[in-house]
Every structure is written in C-alpha cells, then in structure tokens.
Amino acid sequence: MPRKGQAFADRDLAFDVMDRHPYAILVEDAQGRLTGHNRAAERVLAGLVDLEAGAQIGCALLGCRLAGGPLEETCLHERAREHDGPLPELRVDLPPGSGLDAAWATVAALPPDRRLVLTELRPAQRGDRRRRTEPHWAAGPQLRIFALGRTRVTSAETALEGRWLANRPGQILKLLVTERHRRVFSDEIVERLWPDGTHDTRGLRNFVHALRERLEPQGAPSPPSSFVLATRGGYVLHDARVWIDVDAFEALVGEGVAAFDGGEDQQALELLQQGLALYRGEFLADEPYAEWALPERERLRRIAGDGLRVVATLQERAGDLAAAAAGLGRLADLEPYDVDVHRDLLVMLLRCGRRGEALRRYETLRRRVMSTFGEPLEFTLADLAADL
C-alpha cells in the first residue's frame, strides 16, 4: 500500500499532467455541469463560456441534439455512459467565439460509476475531410444486408464476412430477411430450418445469441439487440437500423413501372436502371435448395423481369437498339424457358446486325426446348429475318 505522502505526490503529478496537456480537457457530471478543466480548455473556450465550476457547456459545445446538425438525434455524453471505452473520434465545428474553428472530439465516461464524462478537443480545420466527420454510429448501429445474389452483410465499420453466414446463425438471418416484414415465431424458425428435429427453441436461442454477437459493433450485445429484436414468441429485424437491398430494389422498380405507366419515360428509365442494378443475382443465391426461400425468389425474379421488359421497351423507343438487346439478353438469362422473350431478343439482335450471336442463341434455345419438353420451336431464325 503506498505511503500517504506518495499518494499526494501521485495526485499532484496527475493534476500537473492534465494541466500541461496540450489539448483541451473538460470533465462534466451527470447533469452536464462542468466539474474540471485544464489550461488548454481555458485558451480554447474562455471567450465562449464561463469556465467556472458548475457551468453547463458540453452539449452546446458539441452540438448535441442541435436541430439540423449531425448530432440531431443523440447526445454524446449519454452515449458515452452507455459505451465501453471512448466513443469514436468525431470532428465538430465549434461555435463562434471559441479559440478553435473546429476540433476532433473524443468523449469517454470515467470509471467506476461512469457518472463523470471526459471530453478531449484537438485542433482541426473546419470542413476537414481527411477523416470521417459524419457520426455514422451516433444514431445507433446500422446494418446493410445484400440478399440479391450471394449474401453479404456490412456494418458502418466493416464487412461482416466468414463461415458464419453458411452456418446456423447465418441461416437464421437469411430466414428473417425472407420474412422481413413480419415477426417469425421461434417454433416456425425451428420447423423451417431444421425439419429433422435436430434443434429446438432452446437451441435456437443460443444460435440467435451467436447471430447477435456477429452483428453487433461491440460484440456480444446487452439487451436489447440493435438488429435482431425479440418479440412475443419470435424474432424480427429492426426496420430502422437494417437496410436490405431487396426492399430498395422492389421500391425503385415499382416506382419506375408506375412512372412508365404515367408516361414519364425518362424518369421511369432512371428509376428502373437504379433498381435493376441492385439485382446482382437471384435472391439468396447461396441457399439454392432452401425451400423457404423459393416463393420470395420467384416473386423477385418476376419483378426483375417486369422491370427489364419496360427498360427494353423504353430503350427501343429511344432508338438505342444495342442497349435494348443487352436488356433482353439479361431477361432471357433470367427466363431461360420463356420462348417469347428469346424470340424478342433474337429479333433485336437481327435488327442490330448481330447475326452470329442470334444464331448461337437460337441453337441453344432450340436444343434446350427439345431436351426439356420434347418439342421443336415453332419458328426458325429465317422466319424472324423474313419478318424484318
């Protein structure tokens, strides 16, 4: 146990280090009142506020809950008390009258009871974009799920990759994405994912915990989870914090088709192209044999097909036959047995003068239809050329 004199010496050294620290340091209590600061804080903030003990400064200084500001939805001091360790560094523009135009702010709650919050301010330049200035974490964690094509999951910080996506936690996530607009009951999840009875709802809870641990930015979550919410008897994804490419795709294509029906050709084309760019492949392509994904996969394929048909029509109407042919080619790949689609593509290729490609596609289609249905095509390539 240190001697009493040594304890006083250590305390004096700590005060001296803080006072000589080159960057502004402020310490505030749970009511936002200033309880301590160093000399650098005086130089930075003396012309802005009264730095006497008891002054309330922190939120006004950092812009917490300021309408129209980047922290409009949150208070850094409140989040610091809920966060293990310092919050990610954030650049803030300081109010007029301070000794700095802008500063890099680091905010952390002090142990043991986390009642006091320390803020350090380092000089920055207003408008500096060398580092992230938008507090992507301030409004709560965000998750992006790409389910069109092979499944990808990213957080605001990094891509969440690994074998877990193909294992039990990943399968639970994919099922929740498939049924993303409703609560999925626990026994339903078990029945769909493990019809052989190898797991029960008690095992499901363990897998859900492992899933949350993978998704949470700080690892194992304290209830409630940021992304996978427990509801009465089941689970659902948090709508406000989880972005899914399927929803964006469906909304853009729907708006594009509506614009086309309303005669807004240019707007329709732009919306449809944005939406179809999200269709990187079939829904949950890495789960090709999952029966629970088949209805949604087929529904989204039809939506993509409808969008591609409209895009081809608009491009042909605009005289861009090469682009129309490309779109019809993508549609033909999506619908390998739709003879009408393939016939439209062959006509477009012939109109573009691409006879060799038309011949190859015709032969492929002829063999496919014969081997699958035992029937010949009702038209020849020569028939289509003659009609032109």
Side-chain angles (χ1 to χ4, degrees):
M1 187 172 181
R3 299 189 309 274
K4 185 175 182 180
Q6 182 64 44
F8 279 116
D10 291 343
R11 187 189 63 178
D12 290 343
L13 176 61
F15 280 124
D16 190 49
V17 169
M18 178 176 171
D19 216 31
R20 294 175 181 273
H21 190 69
Y23 306 131
I25 294 178
L26 304 171
V27 180
E28 296 160 277
D29 64 16
Q31 286 71 46
R33 295 178 302 219
L34 189 66
T35 63
H37 64 277
N38 64 355
R39 291 182 186 177
E42 295 178 0
R43 293 193 296 270
V44 172
L45 303 175
L48 182 64
V49 294
D50 182 2
L51 285 174
E52 292 299 322
Q56 291 188 310
I57 177 178
C59 286
L61 178 68
L62 299 179
C64 299
R65 305 198 188 283
L66 177 64
L71 298 173
E72 182 176 12
E73 301 294 330
T74 194
C75 170
L76 292 182
H77 307 91
E78 293 175 3
R79 289 192 62 84
R81 292 187 178 92
E82 301 168 354
H83 189 79
D84 185 15
L87 294 177
E89 186 179 56
L90 173 69
R91 189 188 62 75
V92 293
D93 294 330
L94 300 183
S98 61
L100 295 173
D101 286 338
W104 292 104
T106 302
V107 184
L110 300 177
D113 59 7
R114 311 181 68 79
R115 184 179 62 85
L116 298 178
V117 175
L118 181 147
T119 301
E120 180 192 65
L121 300 173
R122 298 191 299 105
Q125 293 181 352
R126 187 177 292 271
D128 187 356
R129 291 294 181 266
R130 291 174 299 168
R131 302 173 70 173
R132 185 184 295 274
T133 61
E134 288 299 320
H136 59 289
W137 41 266
Q142 300 295 314
L143 196 72
R144 294 171 66 84
I145 301 176
F146 299 85
L148 295 171
R150 297 190 66 82
T151 309
R152 293 186 298 119
V153 182
T154 66
S155 69
E157 288 80 16
T158 186
L160 304 178
E161 302 171 333
R163 295 180 59 85
W164 69 273
L165 274 169
N167 296 334
R168 304 303 191 194
Q171 289 177 328
I172 294 170
L173 177 64
K174 293 170 189 177
L175 179 56
L176 293 178
V177 169
T178 303
E179 304 292 345
R180 58 198 171 278
H181 298 307
R182 71 175 182 90
R183 170 180 53 183
V184 186
F185 290 99
S186 297
D187 54 357
E188 181 183 356
I189 296 175
V190 171
E191 182 179 350
R192 286 194 176 194
L193 295 183
W194 308 296
D196 57 1
T198 54
H199 296 288
D200 56 16
T201 54
R202 183 169 51 187
L204 173 63
R205 286 194 293 271
N206 294 331
F207 291 133
V208 169
H209 177 78
L211 171 61
R212 288 168 165 170
E213 197 171 40
R214 287 286 183 178
L215 300 180
E216 294 293 333
Q218 301 299 324
S222 299
S225 168
S226 301
F227 308 120
V228 181
L229 304 182
T231 61
R232 288 179 298 175
Y235 299 94
V236 67
L237 295 176
H238 194 314
D239 281 345
R241 290 182 174 175
V242 179
W243 176 93
I244 303 175
D245 62 347
V246 175
D247 291 332
F249 157 76
E250 190 171 354
L252 287 166
V253 173
E255 292 172 11
V257 172
F260 173 73
D261 292 339
E264 300 290 338
D265 286 7
Q266 186 57 41
Q267 182 183 11
L269 184 60
E270 292 175 0
L271 289 168
L272 287 167
Q273 287 177 329
Q274 292 176 39
L276 292 168
L278 294 171
Y279 196 85
R280 301 176 298 108
E282 291 197 329
F283 178 69
L284 297 181
D286 47 349
E287 295 287 347
Y289 307 112
E291 293 185 4
W292 43 267
L294 294 180
E296 182 70 349
R297 183 175 297 149
E298 181 59 32
R299 187 183 73 88
L300 294 169
R301 183 191 293 125
R302 288 196 299 269
I303 292 174
D306 292 342
L308 286 167
R309 286 182 177 90
V310 173
V311 167
T313 298
L314 290 170
Q315 291 169 331
E316 181 182 9
R317 185 181 295 175
D320 192 347
L321 301 187
L328 287 172
R330 187 179 176 188
L331 178 57
D333 294 339
L334 197 65
E335 301 288 355
Y337 295 99
D338 191 325
V339 174
D340 291 337
V341 169
H342 286 266
R343 180 165 45 207
D344 291 342
L345 171 60
L346 292 170
V347 169
M348 192 63 63
L349 291 172
L350 291 172
R351 291 177 64 184
C352 292
R354 294 155 60 178
R355 292 173 175 266
E357 183 178 352
L359 178 60
R360 289 190 295 274
R361 282 191 173 268
Y362 177 83
E363 287 299 320
T364 299
L365 176 64
R366 184 185 63 80
R367 289 193 297 269
R368 182 186 299 136
V369 171
M370 178 59 73
S371 64
T372 305
F373 302 106
E375 300 175 355
L377 289 176
E378 297 180 352
F379 62 91
T380 67
L381 202 58
D383 294 336
L384 299 181
D387 289 342
L388 291 179

